[in-house]
C-alpha cells in the first residue's frame, strides 16, 4: 500500500513540473510573440513602412524567414510543443548563423529559451506517456 502512495505522489510531482514548464513556455512565448508582432506593426506604420522581403539581399531574406519561423513556433507551441520548439530553435540558430555570432541580444536569448522550454515540455510528456519517466523531480 505504501508503495502505491509513493508512486502516485511521484507521478503527481512530475505532472506539476510538466504543467509548470508548459505554462512558463506558453506565457513567455505569448509575450515574445506579442512583442515581435508589436515591432512589426510599428514598422508598418512608420514613414519607411515594411521593407519588401523579396527585394532584400539573401542574408536579410533568411533572417526574415528565421523570424517568421520563430514567431510561428511561439504560436504553434501552445498546441504542439514539439513542433513549436523545433521551429523556434531552428529560427534562432539560422538567425545566429546568418549574423555570424553566438550572441545577439537578450531577446534572441529569450526566444531560444522559450523554444527549449517547449521542447523540454514535449520530451517530458513523451517520456511520461511511454512510462519511462515516473518522477522528474
Amino acid at each position: 500500500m505504501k508503495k502505491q502512495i509513493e508512486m502516485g505522489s511521484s507521478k503527481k510531482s512530475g505532472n506539476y513540473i510538466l504543467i509548470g514548464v508548459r505554462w512558463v513556455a506558453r506565457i513567455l512565448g505569448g509575450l515574445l510573440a506579442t512583442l515581435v508582432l508589436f515591432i512589426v506593426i510599428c514598422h508598418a506604420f512608420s514613414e519607411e513602412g515594411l521593407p519588401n522581403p523579396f527585394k532584400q539581399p539573401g542574408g536579410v531574406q533568411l533572417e526574415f524567414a528565421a523570424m517568421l519561423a520563430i514567431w510561428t513556433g511561439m504560436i504553434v507551441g501552445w498546441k504542439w510543443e514539439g513542433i513549436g520548439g523545433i521551429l523556434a530553435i531552428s529560427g534562432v540558430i539560422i538567425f545566429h548563423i546568418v549574423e555570424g555570432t553566438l550572441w545577439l541580444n537578450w531577446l534572441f536569448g529569450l526566444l531560444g529559451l522559450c523554444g527549449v522550454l517547449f521542447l523540454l515540455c514535449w520530451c517530458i510528456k513523451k517520456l511520461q506517456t511511454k512510462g519511462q519517466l515516473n518522477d522528474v523531480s
Side-chain angles (χ1 to χ4, degrees), residues 23-41:
W23 279 103
V24 168
R26 284 178 173 180
I27 291 169
L28 184 61
L31 290 173
L32 291 171
T34 303
L35 175 64
V36 170
L37 186 62
F38 177 74
I39 291 170
V40 169
I41 289 172

Side-chain angles (χ1 to χ4, degrees), residues 54-134:
F54 301 109
K55 293 184 178 180
Q56 302 298 317
V60 176
Q61 289 181 3
L62 274 174
E63 288 176 345
F64 277 133
M67 281 305 298
L68 181 61
I70 294 168
W71 189 79
T72 305
M74 299 295 118
I75 302 302
V76 168
W78 273 75
K79 178 75 174 166
W80 301 287
E81 292 98 354
I83 296 170
I86 289 170
L87 280 171
I89 291 172
S90 298
V92 170
I93 289 171
I94 290 169
F95 207 96
H96 280 79
I97 289 171
V98 171
E99 285 293 316
T101 183
L102 291 176
W103 179 255
L104 290 172
N105 57 36
W106 61 270
L107 178 60
F108 282 92
L110 287 176
L111 290 167
L113 173 66
C114 187
V116 168
L117 289 175
F118 276 130
L119 275 181
L120 179 64
C121 178
W122 178 75
C123 287
I124 291 171
K125 188 170 66 173
K126 283 294 175 190
L127 289 173
Q128 282 181 340
T129 303
K130 290 181 179 181
Q132 295 174 347
L133 187 64
N134 290 329

